[in-house]
């Protein structure tokens, strides 16, 4: 995801950037040091999310969001050293409200909420680094994913993307209930499953609508069938 940092305190921007740069699915799209510049950069860069200090020169973080049309507003995390703005922040539909100083655990929890909100949006995309560059793939296009050492192969509409991330890490950012594990190293999108064939000894073969055939390990058979049943009846 592409994130804009807007804060008039250089040390605060530096810390947030350092924390974000450890996340493989994040690209810092830009920085602003006042409210007027923040509003202009949101319109220009169209980030997925903005970390917005409430008290800034020019315009407050709340004024910045109020000045944007609903369609222009990225997901917003407000930053402040004071808690009296919390109610107003959540009236502005903020994803989170970080009180300074915050620790790394609090920051990680906020980032996870951002990922889930992004994944739940219509037309949501999966973001991850591929050969050092941020790659975005439409979630709706993904058929299946496979571990490849320290990387993940993402198979989407006949193309394979190799991402610089582990399957365990990437799977936490997938929409809940949309994917299921069929093998230690394989996840499939449930609405792509066309058939299930027996392969003996409890193993199976999952046939996707693309015609691809993937091994179903007996270890994951029961959980996979339960997930498939839930997705079909939903």
């Amino acid at each position: 995801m592409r994130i804009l940092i807007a804060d008039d305190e250089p040390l605060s921007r530096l810390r947030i950037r350092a924390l974000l740069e450890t996340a493989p699915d994040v690209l810092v799209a830009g920085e602003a040091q006042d409210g007027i510049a923040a509003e202009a950069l949101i319109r220009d860069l169209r980030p997925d999310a903005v970390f917005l200090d409430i008290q800034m020169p020019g315009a407050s973080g709340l004024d910045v969001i109020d000045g944007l049309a609903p369609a222009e507003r990225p997901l917003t995390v407000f930053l402040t050293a004071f808690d009296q703005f919390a109610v107003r922040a959540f009236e502005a539909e903020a994803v989170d409200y970080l009180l300074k100083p915050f620790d790394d655990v609090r920051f990680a929890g906020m980032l996870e909420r951002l990922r889930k909100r992004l994944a739940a949006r219509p037309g949501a995309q999966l973001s991850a680094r591929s050969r050092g560059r941020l790659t975005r793939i439409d979630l709706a296009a993904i058929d299946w994913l496979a571990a490849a050492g320290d990387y993940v192969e993402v198979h989407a509409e006949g193309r394979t993307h190799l991402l610089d991330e582990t399957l365990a890490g990437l799977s936490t950012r997938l929409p809940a209930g949309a994917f299921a594990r069929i093998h230690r190293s394989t996840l499939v999108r449930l609405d792509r499953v066309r058939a299930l064939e027996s392969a003996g000894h409890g193993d199976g073969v999952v046939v996707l609508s693309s015609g691809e055939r993937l091994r179903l390990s007996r270890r994951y058979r029961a959980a996979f069938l339960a997930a498939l049943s839930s997705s079909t009846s939903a």
Side-chain angles (χ1 to χ4, degrees):
M1 68 187 131
R2 298 171 65 253
I3 292 179
L4 176 72
I5 305 168
D7 193 318
D8 64 328
E9 299 177 33
L11 288 178
S12 179
R13 294 200 306 274
L14 186 64
R15 177 158 190 255
I16 292 170
R17 174 181 279 275
L19 289 169
L20 290 175
E21 288 180 344
T22 65
D25 59 327
V26 169
L27 176 70
V28 177
E31 295 185 12
Q33 54 186 344
D34 62 61
I36 294 172
E39 186 172 335
L41 284 177
I42 289 171
R43 289 198 171 99
D44 184 36
L45 301 176
R46 302 182 66 180
D48 298 310
V50 59
F51 287 10
L52 198 54
D53 190 18
I54 288 185
Q55 293 178 300
M56 289 188 292
S60 74
L62 294 166
D63 290 339
V64 170
I65 292 302
D66 286 343
L68 296 167
E72 295 177 312
R73 296 173 186 169
L75 296 179
T76 303
V77 175
F78 285 112
L79 310 166
T80 182
F82 307 98
D83 62 7
Q84 68 263 34
F85 302 109
V87 173
R88 180 68 184 87
F90 284 102
E91 286 176 349
E93 300 182 350
V95 175
D96 210 335
Y97 181 90
L98 281 183
L99 273 175
K100 303 176 186 177
F102 50 82
D103 59 28
D104 293 1
V105 173
R106 178 73 178 85
F107 190 88
M110 173 280 306
L111 203 54
E112 192 56 32
R113 274 187 286 283
L114 266 184
R115 291 185 176 111
K116 290 179 179 177
R117 286 283 292 273
L118 271 177
R121 281 184 160 185
Q125 295 182 317
L126 176 70
S127 298
R129 293 191 181 277
S130 175
R131 298 176 180 174
R133 300 178 59 183
L134 193 69
T135 294
R136 308 175 81 173
I137 304 167
D138 290 341
L139 277 169
I142 298 174
D143 299 318
W144 59 287
L145 310 94
D150 293 332
Y151 301 90
V152 177
E153 291 178 357
V154 177
H155 299 263
E157 297 182 330
R159 296 184 60 190
T160 301
H161 306 266
L162 188 64
L163 305 182
D164 306 341
E165 192 167 353
T166 65
L167 184 62
L170 191 147
S171 64
T172 64
R173 308 205 307 277
L174 298 174
F179 291 81
R181 190 177 294 272
I182 61 170
H183 185 272
R184 181 170 53 85
S185 61
T186 312
L187 291 171
V188 296
R189 189 183 187 91
L190 291 167
D191 62 7
R192 299 293 200 277
V193 176
R194 188 178 71 192
L196 176 61
E197 300 175 357
S198 175
H201 305 291
D203 292 335
V205 175
V206 175
V207 184
L208 302 185
S209 52
S210 62
E212 290 171 291
R213 300 168 63 85
L214 306 172
R215 179 189 168 195
L216 168 64
S217 167
R218 61 180 178 275
R219 176 181 175 186
Y220 297 98
R221 185 184 184 91
F224 169 69
L225 292 176
L228 190 62
S229 176
S230 297
S231 71
T232 303
S233 59

